[in-house]
Amino acid sequence: MIPIHYSAEVARARDAGAPIVALESTIITHGMPFPQNVETARLVEEDVRGAGATPATIAVLYGVLHIGLEADQLEALGQAQNVAKLSRADMAACIATGGTGAATVAATMIAAHLAGIHVFATGGIGGVHRGAEDSFDISADLRELAQTPVTVVSAGAKAILDLPKTFEVLETLGVPVIAYRQDVLPAFWSATSHMPSPLRMDDAADIAKAQHIRTAMGLQGGQLVANPIPAYAQITAEDLKPVIDQALQEAETQGISAKAVTPFLLGRIFELTDGRSLTANIALVRNNARLGAQIAIAMGK
Ligand code: PSU
Ligand code: MN
């Protein structure tokens, strides 16, 4: 048996068959500094509620998989030190050993699917890192999208990655990549990139329908929705380029590797932009939460 616990709010929504949106917790523990991480997590949950769905933030607390966190649990997780970063490889081990860990995109998809939740909103997915031809650093998020039937609403892949290679791998894995209401892919902190999107949809109902049809056809896996950051909050790719280059250079000089790469880069970019990257990150996650709620509502119809 899996030790699993539903928050009171999520348990009620499940009983009522009401729409639920899964939310990840790595963004809280490894993606943003305290106290903005906790404030953002609360706002994102409120955004989901305001749009008519129930938020389910997912984490492992003391060996129990939590689907939905109570306010005090969210606060504690946001302040905790040395929380594990859980992906497909380590979630079961964390539960088995009574550990506490935050769920990445891959782990949140697995947990959401276990709980019968079909939609998940986050910031940016992991992907193929620059220099992956040497490091082999490719996020487990990509393969998860290929095998677990959850629609993930993101602002694209994080611009610290090798974006063309990331989208090539998604194509190879047969993952639908759907830009929302524009023809080009967004690039996390930037609303646009130079890459055309493989697919475009303008309506949450179509996104919901496509996931249903995929599953009905026996096609494994989910969909990646790439929802552009609101224009007022974006940082253009031109402005970001020198900052990302510097952060990547520092990561290399300092020998940062494996799971530590993404948190290191996000932290340095926050410092180098005087916090502007965080403001943008908050705006895009909230935007994704609202679209995620619309898709979850459409899926229930
Ligand atoms: N997006 C953010 N902040 C984050 C992440 C995504 O805005 O911290 C996290 C997600 O949990 C994603 C993970 O799954 O980074 C990818 O890590 P890696 O590159 O090590 O697979
Ligand atoms: Mn990695």
Side-chain angles (χ1 to χ4, degrees):
M1 273 302 292
I2 312 165
I4 189 164
H5 177 82
Y6 295 92
S7 67
E9 184 186 16
V10 171
R12 275 197 302 276
R14 277 165 55 88
D15 288 345
I20 302 174
V21 177
L23 301 168
E24 66 156 300
S25 46
T26 298
I27 196 166
I28 303 172
T29 54
H30 294 72
M32 293 183 184
F34 180 81
Q36 289 96 331
N37 59 349
V38 174
E39 284 160 17
T40 303
R42 282 205 199 104
L43 286 171
V44 167
E45 291 198 343
E46 270 311 309
D47 289 326
V48 170
R49 291 187 192 102
T54 297
T57 302
I58 290 173
V60 176
L61 305 181
Y62 306 105
V64 177
L65 176 59
H66 281 67
I67 312 290
L69 298 182
E70 308 297 346
D72 57 327
Q73 293 173 325
L74 191 84
E75 170 90 36
L77 189 68
Q79 296 201 55
Q81 301 293 312
N82 304 318
V83 176
K85 176 178 161 187
L86 306 178
S87 189
R88 167 171 278 260
D90 15 49
M91 193 162 37
C94 182
I95 294 170
T97 56
T100 290
T104 60
V105 168
T108 306
M109 289 180 75
I110 293 167
H113 179 51
L114 271 174
I117 302 170
H118 313 296
V119 185
F120 158 31
T122 181
I125 62 157
V128 181
H129 281 266
R130 299 187 200 182
E133 55 275 27
D134 295 317
S135 68
F136 275 51
D137 190 347
I138 301 177
S139 176
D141 293 352
L142 301 184
R143 286 200 50 184
E144 207 57 54
L145 279 160
Q147 57 189 317
T148 301
V150 173
T151 290
V152 179
V153 184
S154 72
K158 280 182 287 259
I160 51 175
L161 299 166
D162 186 322
L163 294 182
K165 286 196 184 71
T166 298
F167 290 104
E168 281 297 338
V169 170
L170 286 168
E171 181 181 306
T172 302
L173 293 172
V175 175
V177 175
I178 304 165
Y180 185 63
R181 295 192 173 168
Q182 66 182 29
D183 294 324
V184 294
L185 288 165
F188 197 65
W189 296 288
S190 315
T192 59
S193 70
H194 296 295
M195 288 171 291
S197 179
L199 297 165
R200 167 184 173 150
M201 288 186 191
D202 291 29
D203 195 347
D206 288 340
I207 298 170
K209 205 162 142 192
Q211 178 71 63
H212 280 318
I213 292 173
R214 226 182 129 68
T215 302
M217 289 175 79
L219 299 173
Q220 285 172 1
Q223 314 186 103
L224 179 64
V225 177
N227 184 29
I229 181 173
Y232 74 85
Q234 77 163 328
I235 310 177
T236 63
E238 291 69 35
D239 279 358
L240 268 177
K241 188 178 179 305
V243 170
I244 293 175
D245 287 347
Q246 183 180 337
L248 285 165
Q249 186 58 53
E250 290 177 11
E252 191 175 322
T253 313
Q254 295 178 38
I256 310 289
S257 68
K259 278 171 183 266
V261 173
T262 298
F264 175 86
L265 294 174
L266 291 176
R268 276 306 280 150
I269 292 167
F270 167 73
E271 288 163 6
L272 293 168
T273 60
D274 293 322
R276 271 175 71 213
S277 68
L278 180 60
T279 311
N281 201 339
I282 294 169
L284 67 87
V285 184
R286 298 188 62 186
N287 193 44
N288 294 340
R290 291 184 286 258
L291 179 57
Q294 290 172 31
I295 296 169
I297 291 165
M299 280 188 178
K301 290 197 174 133

